[in-house]
């Protein structure tokens, strides 16, 4: 049941009001430069809202509950409920009414305009006069089923309703559709054809046939690779003692949850193989680790997609969780699309202001802090992320989420390192890949320094993995840059590479020796660069000169992997000096 005021609300009328606001603000801009939204009148007082709720209006009940129970975060009234502030205003003689408007999660409408906004998925209630409450209005999300058509002109009303069970058929179908569309329609992404397989893979099996370790022996095919956080010792892994047993079968019930779930996901999406580091690398063989770590970049880059357990802090946490609905309400409440009910509607749900987004997931989740996981996120052409609440798809055409919210202010920028990613995933037969242009090399240099900054303070289980965990990315940059790679420094732009620093304080060097003192890899601190695209280094007649007497020794003397662990490195420079 809805009261007459709530029953009169519809998305089409509210959308017209947004369009009118934009025209009015453009014609008569405010002196302070702020955008002024107008609200459609709702109840004229909080007492009227409560009376309507008591009479049975479900939307008024939902609004009243949020005003009474949720707390304000803004400093002046922090910790108070909204209704307590309203009552304070009433005691001071202020007449407070409610208003409602449409808004969008993915864009700031005031700056982008209505035309750029493809989705309106927020219903905002505010009080007037605001008495600071307009800084924190009550906001609801608008949700729809995937099969529902809820368009008004070029705008979609409402985001997709999420299936909270991440291992549901619906979520598997979403992931499969993303993969199919990407392989078949995305011009910037590889088509998903067969590639050389890693030397070992896990065959995921079926419901009646368990997984096992297979030797690929030069075959081609398609596979996924798991990106995850160990978070301690892995209880089941391939060693010289277990490898022959694993070739026969791997007991699925004995696998840690992340591995078990990744096998289920791979099966459901329709792939036969998955690469999992602790099962596909012999963990007690240093020589095998050297070989496999050197190929790690290619393993992820060639995967059909990388399956990322992005929100899982350790190997036993699991991927296929069931999310809990934020502040569920006893009744389903709907907003009509048009004034006539038969035209369809969208559900009104409580909005979690701290809900997971691609921005929060990829910047703050467990994998965002792990060293190996940076290249595992940058090198693949496609990544299927599993968060706590939903699935996300990342490819060269952008980011998608299961709720369907378009890219915008809540989206992590996949294009930050676009130049190197576009180079990695161009077709091998492409003329564009044959010879990088001066401009693309310049941008790749900026990419390299930016990636080092992002990588520098990430955590490593083994501190000596500083170079190997970045080696796959460094090797890809090596296809673009001229010169030598010496302990993280490229001789083709060595001055920029040497001018790193830790902001405010000095960087603590790692002990025992891991890198020379002039290399960024000597510290686990977050580092910055003196030379940037905004402040590039200029040349002069007094420039320092890098002499040809460079030397680097790898920890493993038999290794040819110049991007691996370093035992010693030296460079010599001829330069003018300042007197002390």
């Amino acid at each position: 049941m809805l009261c007459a005021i709530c029953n009169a609300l519809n998305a089409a009328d509210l959308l017209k009001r947004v369009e009118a606001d934009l025209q009015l603000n453009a014609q008569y801009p405010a002196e302070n430069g702020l955008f002024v939204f107008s609200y459609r009148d709702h109840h004229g007082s909080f007492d009227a809202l409560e009376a309507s709720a008591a009479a049975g209006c479900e939307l008024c009940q939902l609004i009243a509950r949020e005003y009474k129970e949720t707390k304000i975060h803004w400093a002046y009234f922090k910790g108070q409920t909204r209704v307590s502030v309203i009552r304070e205003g009433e005691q001071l003689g202020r007449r407070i009414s409610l208003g409602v408007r449409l808004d969008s999660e993915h864009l700031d409408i005031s700056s982008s305009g209505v035309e750029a906004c493809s989705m309106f998925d927020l219903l905002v209630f505010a009080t007037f006069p605001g008495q600071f409450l307009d800084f924190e209005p009550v906001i609801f999300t608008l949700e729809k089923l995937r099969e529902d058509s809820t368009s008004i002109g070029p705008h979609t009303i409402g985001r997709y309703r999420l299936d909270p069970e991440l291992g549901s058929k619906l979520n598997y179908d979403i992931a499969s559709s993303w993969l199919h569309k990407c392989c078949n329609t995305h011009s910037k992404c590889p088509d998903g054809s067969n590639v050389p397989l890693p030397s070992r893979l896990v065959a995921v099996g079926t419901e009646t046939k368990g997984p096992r370790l297979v030797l690929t022996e030069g075959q081609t095919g398609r596979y996924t690779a798991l990106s995850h956080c160990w978070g301690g010792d892995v209880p089941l892994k391939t060693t010289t003692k277990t490898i022959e047993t694993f070739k026969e079968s791997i007991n699925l019930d004995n696998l840690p949850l992340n591995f078990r779930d990744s096998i289920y996901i791979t099966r459901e999406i329709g792939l036969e193989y998955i690469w999992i580091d602790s099962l596909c690398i012999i963990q007690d063989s240093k020589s095998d680790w050297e070989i496999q770590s050197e190929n790690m970049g290619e393993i992820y880059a060639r995967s059909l997609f990388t399956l990322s357990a992005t929100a899982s802090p350790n190997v036993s946490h699991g991927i296929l969780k069931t999310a809990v609905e934020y502040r569920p309400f006893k009744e389903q409440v709907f907003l009509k699309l048009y004034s006539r009910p038969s035209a369809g509607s969208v559900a009104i749900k409580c909005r979690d202001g701290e809900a997971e987004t691609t921005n929060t997931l990829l910047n703050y989740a467990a994998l965002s802090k792990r060293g190996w996981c940076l290249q595992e996120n940058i090198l693949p052409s496609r990544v299927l992320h599993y968060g706590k609440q939903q699935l996300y798809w990342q490819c060269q055409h952008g980011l998608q989420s299961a709720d369907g919210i378009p890219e915008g202010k809540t989206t992590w920028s996949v294009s930050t390192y676009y130049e190197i990613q576009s180079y990695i995933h161009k077709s091998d037969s492409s003329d564009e890949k044959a010879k990088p242009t001066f401009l693309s090399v310049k941008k790749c240099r900026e990419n390299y320094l930016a990636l080092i900054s992002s990588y520098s303070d990430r955590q490593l289980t083994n501190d000596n993995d500083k170079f190997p965990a970045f080696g796959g990315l460094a090797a890809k940059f090596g296809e673009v840059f001229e010169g030598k790679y010496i302990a993280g420094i490229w001789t083709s732009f060595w001055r920029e590479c040497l001018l790193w620093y830790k902001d405010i304080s000095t960087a603590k060097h790692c002990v025992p020796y891991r890198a020379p003192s002039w290399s960024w890899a000597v510290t686990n601190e977050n580092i910055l660069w003196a030379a940037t695209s905004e402040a590039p280094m200029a040349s002069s007649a007094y420039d320092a000169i890098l002499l040809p007497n460079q030397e680097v020794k790898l920890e493993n003397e038999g290794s040819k992997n110049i991007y691996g662990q370093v035992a010693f490195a030296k460079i010599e420079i001829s330069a003018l000096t300042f007197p002390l």
Side-chain angles (χ1 to χ4, degrees), residues 528-546:
L528 303 173
W529 301 96
T532 65
S533 57
E534 290 79 19
M537 292 190 67
S539 295
S540 75
Y542 307 106
D543 281 354
I545 299 171
L546 181 65

Side-chain angles (χ1 to χ4, degrees), residues 181-197:
K181 183 177 181 180
C182 183
C183 289
N184 290 283
T185 67
H186 286 180
S187 60
K188 296 178 184 178
C189 301
D191 62 6
S193 55
N194 289 345
V195 297
L197 296 175

Side-chain angles (χ1 to χ4, degrees), residues 27 99 110 136 152 196 206 252 403 423 453 477 480 524 526 530 554:
Q27 189 173 359
S110 62
E136 286 196 32
I152 298 178
T206 64
L252 194 61
D403 58 17
Y423 176 82
S453 290
F477 281 106
V480 178
N524 289 328
N526 180 244
L554 301 174

Side-chain angles (χ1 to χ4, degrees), residues 481-529:
F481 300 149
E482 295 179 352
K484 296 180 181 179
Y485 180 83
I486 304 173
I489 307 301
W490 289 99
T491 58
S492 55
F493 60 113
W494 61 274
R495 294 189 304 163
E496 289 87 347
C497 290
L498 287 179
L499 291 177
W500 59 269
Y501 66 97
K502 181 180 183 294
D503 195 20
I504 301 177
S505 62
T506 56
K508 182 180 179 181
H509 289 201
C510 292
V511 177
Y513 181 93
R514 184 179 70 189
S517 60
W518 39 264
S519 170
W520 53 263
V522 76
T523 184
N524 289 328
E525 310 276 4
N526 180 244
I527 66 164
L528 303 173
W529 301 96

Side-chain angles (χ1 to χ4, degrees), residues 548-560:
N549 304 328
Q550 302 126 20
E551 184 179 356
V552 60
K553 291 182 180 179
L554 301 174
E555 184 69 25
N556 183 356
E557 294 183 3
S559 175
K560 296 181 179 180

